[in-house]
Amino acid sequence: MAPPALNDVSEAGSSKGRKRQAGTIPAESTVDDNRQPPHKKPRLYKRKSAKDNIKPFSGPDPTEWPEYFQELFKALNTVLAFCSSRKALAITFPVVRESVERLLKRPLDLAQVAELKALLPNLVRFAYIPRLDLQVHESENIKRRGTSPDYAARSSSASHSLKQLHEGEHVLVLDFEDNSKGKKPGQRYTCNFSSTNLAHAVYSRTLSLPPALTPAATKKLIERRNDTFEEAVRELIKATPFDDDPVAILQAAARDHIPIDPTNKSSIESISASQSKPKVVPDSEHRPSIESLIREIKEQDWFADQIVFERTIAEKEPKIAELYPPLSDRLTEALASSRQITSFYSHQVEAIAALDKGKSVIVSTSTASGKSVIYQVPLMRFLEQNPQSTAIFIYPTKALAQDQRQALQQLLYSCPGLEHIQVATYDGDTPQDERKRIRESASVIFTNFDMIHFSVLPHEEMWRSRFLKNLKLLAVDELHYYTGTFGSHVAQILRRFRRICAAIGNRRLQFVSCSATITEPGMYMQRMFGIEAKVTKDGAPAGRKDLLVWDAPPVDEMDPALGRQSTLKEAIRLARFLMERGIRLIVFCTIRKSCEMFFKALRAELTAHGRVDILERVMSYRGGMCFPDRRKIEKEAFNGHLLGIVATNALELGVDIGILDAVMMFGFPRGGTASFRQQAGRAGRRARDALAVFVASEYPIDRHFVAHPEELLDKPINELVIDLDSKVIVEAHLQCAGQEMPLSLEDEKYFGPHTKELCETRLKKDEDGWYHTHPKYLPHPGRHISLRGNAEDEYTVVDVSNIGKPGGVAKILEQMEMSRALFELYEGAVFIHQGITFIIKEVSHDSKMAKLIQSDVNWTTEPRDFTNVDAAQTYRIREIRNSPQRAYYGRIELFTLVFGYFKIRNKKIIDAVDVDTPPYERESTGFWLDVPKPILQVMLERGIHPAEAIHAAEHAFLNRFALSADLGTECKAAEKEYKSTTTARKRPARLIFYEGSGRNGGVATKAFDHVSEILQNAHDTTEACQCEEGCAACIVSPSCRENNIVASKRGALIVLKALLSLPIDADLLVPVENTFPHDTVIAADSVRAIEGVEVEKAD
């Protein structure tokens, strides 16, 4: 039987509810006295919100409900639906109140609206926001090329409501947060769920024009919200105990929903005093357990089964062992006083004992397992025995080196007799005059491999007599960091270093390396260092850790095409929930921009809920920030002041920021599974229980791990890869070694089997048979090697907001490399720093400086850009095994242009602006494979998007190549491929790959030389994969710059089969509806070759 209408439920005219009267039961109601209260708070409707502080109870329905309450919601609903149909209106509370009061013919009370918020917390938005968050254009015009349409100019009434407000004030906003789904301009609807249509769906939800509500849609929106409200009222009534008043319960709950103006201290104090529960954040010692916290999450009204996977890793007890021979008394006391270390874990004892016997060691244990003790204690022993002993400690980041240097200094100061030992940082920031002092007097240097390569080895004669002769220990921390091309260079640097030490008579040097994520540490140590090493087993304790995979609920379960609710809102709400309970949280974001976007949204969430106390304890952290700012954040975190840190992978490595209770990964890390586990390990670093939450987005790589979450923990990590056989890399380091000390063929024991060939053909041989650096690389052969890729120019980002004000000075916010600056620094762009928004007013590409002013706008900007990766000249041609197709190697030209930007609010485009910026042009080397013209035509005829096929095939190839992290490709952008209008920029049907370093690092050569094998593996893996639309095992890449949106597994198989000359299955060629309006890919033309190029035979 249909439920009664709201007006039938209540006929009471008073503004006050009544207690239930026995026997007053509507005819259509029935009573089941045997019903049991549910274990969870009642929901309004499936996967939607419910009420706060409402206890479930089964009992008869009342017949009365306050009249003001029914009228209020319907009046609000009508006014807000009207506003929703006119996106130009700024929906502030003063604007809404004026219209609602006309309908009600009485004043609108703030507390009454709070009752609606209590009843429908996820539907009603009732909060203070910064006043300038309502504007669309800033007050000053940005210079632009031509004119652009304004999709959302403010209304006069909205402007009037803001006139009296001053800078920094907040505006009370009242709105509904459900999605008003109008038809987007140019949007086409289809029920054909091909990969193209799925990609269209994801893209349209990522960025689209604002919907336009028709009168019919507005009416339907009003009816849907009315139904939601009535259902919530009925559920509240049913959940209210028999002798209680549901109105009184709701009014009590509403006190917690009265919005707080964060700029009005008296308002904060008065409202906070009236709220039912004091808002106090527990300290670290009294925060709830993670197990109880997860139970509490599942009891929340907003919980809608977002947890799709749970895994608990049990706590592990420590294994303590005795060190023999024992440490000296003074060293024992120093460890106890400076580190509170009174005993050792088994892996520490095992490693220290091995070093004591002259062996080298690799330690691959859990995070915060005391790995630094393993090389610091032996160093102290060496210094006790011989104060002239020296050591080198190598770290991947300056911040990590700084942490460890301070820890060692504290230990030395605590040890009588060793207080005088000098410890120094030796990196690119060390002044030249200071470097001489360090060489002559420091006992321990904290450095990196760049300095070993560019400064120590080329000038080994300056280090030889004291430092290198007495060198006892070389420790490399975070060994997993050194992989791919950079790791391959590091392996050769270590071999050069060992060779120099052996030549000067130091054959006692021992090596220590540490990592938390290497699965075969012994093998990797041998390949990296060229020596055998003792492997230790982890004896450190570990607290219980819970892993959750969090997936936003669908907008509408009956209509999957509408996608899922906002991942950002889900993550922000969960972050606030955790911090309110004293959980110290770090949120990892995939890129700098998403880090700042998250932080800004989190600030808004905390402000809206009056949690200024938490807001003051949250900061963002990322690379590029000024060094003093980074150190300040690290110190605040370590001291326990910060409750939340929003970071990029800059904090992935082991900088000690104190105890963390939870880690949230907002999107799957671009570094892959190894990076995921490294980030997850940042919580619970001192044996406490901890939480790791992966909040999945709608992008394909995230969807893969939602479908296969067990892979996050169970799937073996691909071993860290270094290439010891690359002739390009080996030759480069032989040229360096030849300058450091002449080479002989006996040095093959260091540099491998290519040594003889390369020495005889690429180096210069003297009359005594020694090999020297070729003259063309002199005087500095090391400068011809790019260890980390091309060194980029950096832009300085400067805040000039206070220029012209009394005492106002410019402030440098950060440094940004050119490849990022191109996409983030353009006039009119919104730049976010520590959650504060700025507008870029001026960019000078000559001085490499961007000037910003603070502006509290409520939109973000996305660049409108393109990058062409073009084959320019052919150097080599190679057969593909058993195929008439060919692979080509040669010069690659890259051209990037930012020609404009979109203003974005709530994933809707509110303006499109053109800008004039210089292009970014550079050259590289690489290889390419042309898609046969007949196959291109077949795909077009069958409705298969060629761009999707090519992009997916490129990913399939890279996924099967071990050094793929150092190769780039032309990722296809959804904005271009699914554009409703034609584009003049049509790309050749070509798979293309280039050296990411911009120079010949040997990686592209390696892939080209094995192209047939890699293509075959890519095909076999993709064809055997059981997924339907592509996954991380076949065509999805975590490092795709365009988030894998433009991709087709079916198309990839067609392309790969065509290149390998394999028969194409008939089911791959079944025609589908052509949903791409314009061709964006054309047949590839041949690329001119240098004279004398011959086709090389396939392997």
Side-chain angles (χ1 to χ4, degrees):
M1 180 176 294
L6 184 61
N7 287 335
D8 296 332
V9 174
S10 171
E11 296 179 356
S14 70
S15 61
K16 199 172 180 182
R18 275 190 335 193
K19 290 189 177 181
R20 297 177 188 270
Q21 300 297 320
T24 310
I25 304 172
E28 67 270 24
S29 301
T30 58
V31 180
D32 179 3
D33 292 329
N34 296 318
R35 284 190 301 167
Q36 296 298 316
H39 294 290
K40 187 177 172 181
K41 296 178 183 178
R43 279 193 196 139
L44 303 184
Y45 48 92
K46 193 170 185 180
R47 301 189 74 99
K48 299 290 184 179
S49 59
K51 296 76 48 207
D52 284 352
N53 302 328
I54 306 299
K55 302 293 185 182
F57 183 84
S58 57
D61 293 340
T63 59
E64 300 176 1
W65 189 258
E67 186 175 288
Y68 79 85
F69 201 68
Q70 326 164 12
E71 294 176 345
L72 173 59
F73 182 84
K74 293 190 175 182
L76 277 175
N77 193 8
T78 302
V79 171
L80 291 175
F82 174 81
C83 294
S84 298
S85 68
R86 286 156 178 79
K87 293 294 182 180
L89 287 177
I91 311 176
T92 64
F93 183 65
V95 172
V96 174
R97 177 162 59 185
E98 183 178 355
S99 300
V100 171
E101 287 177 345
R102 287 199 200 102
L103 291 175
L104 295 177
K105 296 181 173 55
R106 60 177 172 79
L108 176 60
D109 194 309
L110 207 70
Q112 294 174 358
V113 182
E115 292 174 22
L116 289 178
K117 174 69 174 176
L119 184 69
L120 301 162
N122 287 348
L123 176 63
V124 177
R125 183 190 186 202
F126 191 41
Y128 280 94
I129 65 171
R131 72 176 184 90
L132 291 179
D133 272 15
L134 296 176
Q135 71 185 72
V136 172
H137 296 299
E138 50 179 330
S139 57
E140 298 181 27
N141 293 325
I142 297 296
K143 181 179 69 177
R144 61 180 73 184
R145 188 179 69 210
T147 58
S148 300
D150 181 3
Y151 293 101
R154 281 180 290 149
S155 69
S156 58
S157 60
S159 301
H160 176 74
S161 68
L162 300 178
K163 283 180 181 177
Q164 303 303 319
L165 295 171
H166 300 288
E167 182 75 30
E169 286 196 37
H170 284 59
V171 178
L172 181 56
V173 171
L174 174 59
D175 196 3
F176 286 141
E177 293 196 283
D178 59 344
N179 292 343
S180 54
K181 299 177 282 291
K183 186 172 181 179
K184 300 177 181 66
Q187 181 177 352
R188 57 179 62 198
Y189 294 95
T190 176
C191 59
N192 176 16
F193 283 87
S194 67
S195 60
T196 300
N197 285 316
L198 286 174
H200 268 300
V202 173
Y203 172 61
S204 65
R205 291 194 296 271
T206 304
L207 196 66
S208 60
L209 293 173
L213 281 180
T214 63
T218 303
K219 181 179 179 182
K220 186 177 292 186
L221 180 65
I222 292 173
E223 292 173 350
R224 188 177 76 238
R225 289 170 174 171
N226 278 340
D227 291 343
T228 298
F229 170 71
E230 291 175 7
E231 187 177 348
V233 169
R234 285 194 296 272
E235 189 173 340
L236 171 61
I237 293 170
K238 286 190 291 185
T240 303
F242 187 80
D243 57 350
D244 277 351
D245 182 354
V247 176
I249 291 175
L250 188 61
Q251 290 173 342
R255 286 197 289 271
D256 287 339
H257 292 276
I258 297 176
I260 299 175
D261 182 353
T263 60
N264 188 333
K265 291 186 178 181
S266 61
S267 170
I268 295 175
E269 293 170 358
S270 62
I271 294 177
S272 297
S274 69
Q275 289 177 330
S276 56
K277 291 181 290 187
K279 294 184 176 181
V280 177
V281 176
D283 60 35
S284 179
E285 294 301 319
H286 297 92
R287 57 95 165 160
S289 69
I290 299 300
E291 185 178 9
S292 66
L293 196 70
I294 294 173
R295 286 198 304 267
E296 187 180 0
I297 288 173
K298 293 179 179 180
E299 293 171 356
Q300 297 303 302
D301 299 330
W302 44 261
F303 181 72
D305 301 325
Q306 291 98 325
I307 298 176
V308 297
F309 177 79
E310 294 183 67
R311 173 76 66 84
T312 298
I313 302 171
E315 63 180 324
K316 187 178 68 172
E317 295 296 325
K319 295 179 181 178
I320 305 298
E322 292 292 329
L323 183 63
Y324 187 82
L327 300 179
S328 65
D329 291 342
R330 61 177 179 171
L331 184 49
T332 300
E333 292 174 6
L335 285 168
S337 61
S338 67
R339 302 275 188 85
Q340 289 74 54
I341 296 175
T342 57
S343 61
F344 294 103
Y345 302 132
S346 59
H347 67 274
Q348 293 173 325
V349 169
E350 193 177 357
I352 294 170
L355 287 166
D356 196 49
K357 296 176 182 177
K359 298 179 181 180
S360 292
V361 170
I362 181 167
V363 182
S364 182
T365 57
S366 55
T367 53
S369 56
K371 289 187 282 289
S372 61
V373 171
I374 287 166
Y375 50 83
Q376 289 180 0
V377 166
L379 168 66
M380 303 284 280
R381 274 183 161 176
F382 285 136
L383 289 168
E384 282 184 318
Q385 297 164 7
N386 178 9
Q388 299 300 314
S389 298
T390 60
I392 297 176
F393 294 161
I394 298 175
Y395 299 90
T397 66
K398 294 179 181 178
L400 189 54
Q402 183 90 335
D403 271 355
Q404 294 297 327
R405 182 179 65 82
Q406 291 175 354
L408 179 61
Q409 283 179 324
Q410 186 179 12
L411 180 59
L412 288 167
Y413 293 157
S414 303
C415 188
L418 298 182
E419 307 96 325
H420 67 285
I421 296 297
Q422 294 188 32
V423 177
T425 298
Y426 190 79
D427 59 24
D429 295 333
T430 306
Q432 289 296 329
D433 55 348
E434 183 71 7
R435 295 184 184 192
K436 180 180 179 181
R437 185 197 65 78
I438 291 172
R439 286 195 301 268
E440 294 175 351
S441 59
S443 296
V444 186
I445 64 170
F446 288 74
T447 188
N448 52 54
F449 280 109
D450 304 81
M451 295 302 292
I452 300 293
H453 170 70
F454 288 111
S455 184
V456 176
L457 288 174
H459 306 288
E460 55 84 19
E461 71 281 358
M462 298 181 179
W463 295 82
R464 179 184 301 181
S465 59
R466 186 190 74 88
F467 198 93
L468 292 182
K469 279 191 175 181
N470 292 298
L471 186 63
K472 297 293 192 294
L473 206 59
L474 187 147
V476 180
D477 202 6
E478 306 286 356
L479 188 63
H480 63 276
Y481 179 82
Y482 306 101
T483 185
T485 302
F486 182 41
S488 303
H489 282 297
V490 165
Q492 299 300 329
I493 292 170
L494 285 166
R495 283 157 172 77
R496 287 162 51 199
F497 193 89
R498 287 174 48 222
R499 174 174 173 265
I500 290 295
C501 288
I504 63 175
N506 184 354
R507 299 180 182 274
R508 303 172 307 281
L509 175 61
Q510 294 170 259
F511 297 90
V512 180
S513 66
C514 304
S515 178
T517 57
I518 297 178
T519 55
E520 295 187 36
M523 182 272 292
Y524 198 67
M525 178 81 170
Q526 197 282 327
R527 286 179 58 78
M528 179 62 77
F529 290 79
I531 59 174
E532 299 294 329
K534 171 70 176 176
V535 180
T536 64
K537 295 182 179 180
D538 194 357
R544 166 188 167 129
K545 178 167 288 185
D546 288 273
L547 171 67
L548 307 179
V549 176
W550 190 279
D551 196 22
V555 172
D556 187 341
E557 288 186 329
M558 303 304 294
D559 190 355
L562 295 177
R564 297 184 174 274
Q565 296 182 25
S566 168
T567 302
L568 178 61
K569 287 185 179 179
E570 288 283 319
I572 292 296
R573 180 174 56 195
L574 181 60
R576 174 174 60 84
F577 177 88
L578 294 173
M579 290 188 292
E580 285 176 339
R581 284 148 184 81
I583 300 298
R584 294 190 60 201
L585 171 71
I586 183 169
V587 180
F588 282 109
C589 300
T590 54
I591 58 176
R592 187 209 76 85
K593 191 167 186 178
S594 66
C595 173
E596 289 293 1
M597 292 278 289
F598 190 102
F599 185 51
K600 182 181 179 183
L602 182 58
R603 285 171 58 94
E605 173 83 0
L606 293 169
T607 300
H609 288 79
R611 298 314 306 256
V612 181
D613 56 328
I614 298 177
L615 181 60
E616 295 170 347
R617 300 176 62 186
V618 182
M619 300 190 80
S620 69
Y621 183 104
R622 50 186 169 68
M625 296 177 67
C626 297
F627 180 75
D629 290 345
R630 290 202 308 269
R631 295 307 294 175
K632 177 184 176 183
I633 295 170
E634 292 162 12
K635 183 178 179 181
E636 294 263 303
F638 183 82
N639 292 338
H641 173 71
L642 293 187
L643 258 181
I645 303 174
V646 184
T648 59
N649 62 357
L651 275 180
E652 185 177 303
L653 298 176
V655 179
D656 192 353
I657 52 174
I659 299 172
L660 292 171
D661 303 307
V663 171
M664 179 186 294
M665 286 147 283
F666 184 58
F668 188 73
R670 293 195 170 183
T673 308
S675 184
F676 177 92
R677 295 180 189 175
Q678 186 76 13
Q679 290 179 5
R682 289 296 267 155
R685 291 173 59 85
R686 295 183 182 173
R688 296 191 66 180
D689 62 339
L691 174 68
V693 184
F694 166 45
V695 181
S697 73
E698 288 191 277
Y699 293 131
I701 188 68
D702 291 43
R703 305 321 301 166
H704 170 80
F705 288 106
V706 169
H708 306 283
E710 66 284 347
E711 293 182 8
L712 294 169
L713 295 178
D714 299 338
K715 188 175 181 179
I717 299 176
N718 292 333
E719 275 308 317
L720 303 174
V721 179
I722 56 174
D723 187 1
L724 299 176
D725 298 321
S726 170
K727 291 184 180 181
V728 173
I729 295 176
V730 173
E731 185 210 334
H733 288 276
L734 285 174
Q735 299 288 0
C736 295
Q739 186 194 41
E740 294 154 10
M741 186 174 66
L743 289 153
S744 72
L745 297 183
E746 291 183 2
D747 289 320
E748 181 176 320
K749 62 186 176 183
Y750 295 108
F751 301 106
H754 297 305
T755 303
K756 180 178 179 181
E757 174 193 350
L758 292 172
C759 282
E760 291 179 346
T761 60
R762 308 294 292 175
L763 276 72
K764 185 178 179 181
K765 187 177 182 179
D766 66 18
E767 58 186 17
D768 296 324
W770 296 95
Y771 296 93
H772 302 263
T773 305
H774 194 282
K776 71 178 180 181
Y777 295 108
L778 295 173
H780 304 293
R783 294 181 183 176
H784 293 267
I785 299 178
S786 179
L787 298 183
R788 302 173 186 261
N790 277 350
E792 295 186 52
D793 291 335
E794 287 192 336
Y795 279 67
T796 302
V797 183
V798 182
D799 175 13
V800 296
S801 303
N802 293 323
I803 296 295
K805 299 178 182 178
V809 295
K811 177 184 178 182
I812 295 177
L813 297 181
E814 60 181 88
Q815 303 287 335
M816 185 180 295
E817 59 272 19
M818 185 172 184
S819 59
R820 276 182 48 216
L822 189 72
F823 299 101
E824 297 189 34
L825 303 180
Y826 45 86
E827 292 179 6
V830 172
F831 189 88
I832 308 176
H833 180 82
Q834 286 296 330
I836 300 171
T837 53
F838 296 82
I839 294 288
I840 298 176
K841 287 294 185 182
E842 180 185 338
V843 179
S844 170
H845 296 284
D846 294 328
S847 62
K848 301 291 187 296
M849 180 180 293
K851 296 180 180 179
L852 290 64
I853 61 168
Q854 187 172 339
S855 182
D856 292 328
V857 298
N858 76 325
W859 66 82
T860 58
T861 49
E862 288 288 342
R864 300 157 63 197
D865 64 87
F866 65 84
T867 297
N868 287 343
V869 182
D870 290 315
Q873 191 172 29
T874 302
Y875 300 159
R876 297 171 61 189
I877 304 174
R878 192 174 186 84
E879 288 182 350
I880 296 174
R881 190 186 306 122
N882 302 323
S883 172
Q885 308 305 321
R886 299 288 183 262
Y888 305 88
Y889 177 90
R891 179 165 57 89
I892 304 287
E893 293 179 346
L894 295 96
F895 178 94
T896 300
L897 179 66
V898 175
F899 58 89
Y901 62 90
F902 291 122
K903 286 184 179 180
I904 309 296
R905 178 192 291 147
N906 298 327
K907 297 186 179 181
K908 307 298 180 197
I909 299 171
I910 60 173
D911 201 1
V913 182
D914 297 332
V915 296
D916 287 311
T917 59
Y920 178 35
E921 300 177 84
R922 60 267 191 218
E923 286 189 357
S924 184
T925 53
F927 64 99
W928 58 94
L929 305 104
D930 292 341
V931 176
K933 292 181 182 179
I935 294 299
L936 175 62
Q937 188 60 37
V938 166
M939 288 193 291
L940 291 171
E941 292 171 354
R942 299 298 195 276
I944 300 166
H945 201 316
E948 293 179 345
I950 292 169
H951 192 197
E954 288 171 332
H955 284 175
F957 185 96
L958 291 173
N959 284 347
R960 305 271 66 82
F961 179 51
L963 295 170
S964 62
D966 297 299
L967 280 184
T969 191
E970 186 177 89
C971 289
K972 307 298 185 183
E975 177 190 348
K976 170 182 175 288
E977 303 304 334
Y978 303 138
K979 192 176 181 181
S980 60
T981 57
T982 187
T983 174
R985 180 175 162 264
K986 300 184 187 296
R987 304 300 297 142
R990 173 177 290 150
L991 282 67
I992 191 164
F993 308 91
Y994 61 92
E995 292 273 359
S997 66
R999 300 177 64 175
N1000 186 11
V1003 179
T1005 305
K1006 185 89 171 180
F1008 179 76
D1009 289 340
H1010 296 84
V1011 65
S1012 296
E1013 176 188 345
I1014 300 170
L1015 273 175
Q1016 189 67 54
N1017 287 341
H1019 168 270
D1020 295 347
T1021 302
T1022 304
E1023 187 171 57
C1025 190
Q1026 297 299 307
C1027 70
E1028 293 185 7
E1029 295 295 340
C1031 67
C1034 55
I1035 66 167
V1036 171
S1037 168
S1039 59
C1040 177
R1041 296 189 306 275
E1042 301 296 340
N1043 296 302
N1044 300 280
I1045 296 175
V1046 182
S1048 166
K1049 180 181 179 181
R1050 176 191 182 199
L1053 276 172
I1054 292 173
V1055 169
L1056 292 170
K1057 286 178 181 292
L1059 292 172
L1060 292 164
S1061 195
L1062 297 173
I1064 299 176
D1065 303 335
D1067 58 347
L1068 292 177
L1069 299 176
V1070 175
V1072 296
E1073 178 188 358
N1074 186 338
T1075 58
F1076 47 97
H1078 304 284
D1079 294 341
T1080 60
V1081 176
I1082 58 176
D1085 294 328
S1086 60
V1087 179
R1088 66 184 179 91
I1090 61 173
E1091 188 176 349
V1093 174
E1094 296 182 357
V1095 178
E1096 304 169 14
K1097 295 293 184 181
D1099 294 341

